[in-house]
């Protein structure tokens, strides 16, 4: 089983270089965090996700901040690329 690593995904896109050596994707996401990550990867905005899940957009934002922290990411695109490569398996 291949370990999914954001640095590897970014290298494939040639979009960014990382100067950090930390592994990513090893953190445990909650079911709700996975659900929101999937919806982000599907292209939904925070407001669209909030409407779909009947929660506030601030709650969506908080979940996404937790996901970013757990995975060591800073940008939405990083999360989408990681999910496309690793999360949707």
């Amino acid at each position: 089983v291949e370990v999914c690593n954001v640095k590897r995904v970014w290298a494939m896109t040639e979009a960014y270089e990382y100067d950090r050596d930390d592994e990513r994707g090893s953190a445990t996401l909650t079911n709700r965090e996975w659900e929101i990550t999937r919806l982000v990867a599907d292209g939904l905005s925070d407001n669209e996700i909030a409407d779909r899940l009947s929660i506030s957009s601030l709650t969506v934002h908080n979940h996404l901040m937790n996901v970013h922290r757990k995975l060591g990411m800073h940008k939405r695109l990083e999360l989408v690329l990681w999910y496309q490569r690793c999360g949707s398996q």
Side-chain angles (χ1 to χ4, degrees), residues 32-89:
R32 182 62 101 180
E33 290 167 347
W34 273 110
E35 183 176 24
I36 290 173
T37 299
R38 179 182 57 79
L39 294 172
V40 166
D42 287 345
L44 276 66
S45 69
D46 287 6
N47 288 335
E48 291 168 327
I49 294 169
D51 289 344
R52 183 167 298 181
L53 300 178
S54 299
I55 59 178
S56 75
S57 59
L58 179 59
T59 301
V60 172
H61 176 78
N62 288 336
H63 281 301
L64 286 173
M65 291 302 100
N66 288 336
V67 170
H68 283 109
R69 180 183 47 78
K70 287 179 179 182
L71 299 179
M73 299 177 185
H74 298 284
K75 301 196 182 291
R76 195 175 190 97
L77 180 56
E78 291 176 288
L79 183 60
V80 170
L81 292 173
W82 175 82
Y83 182 83
Q84 289 174 345
R85 174 84 170 143
C86 305
S88 61
Q89 295 176 355

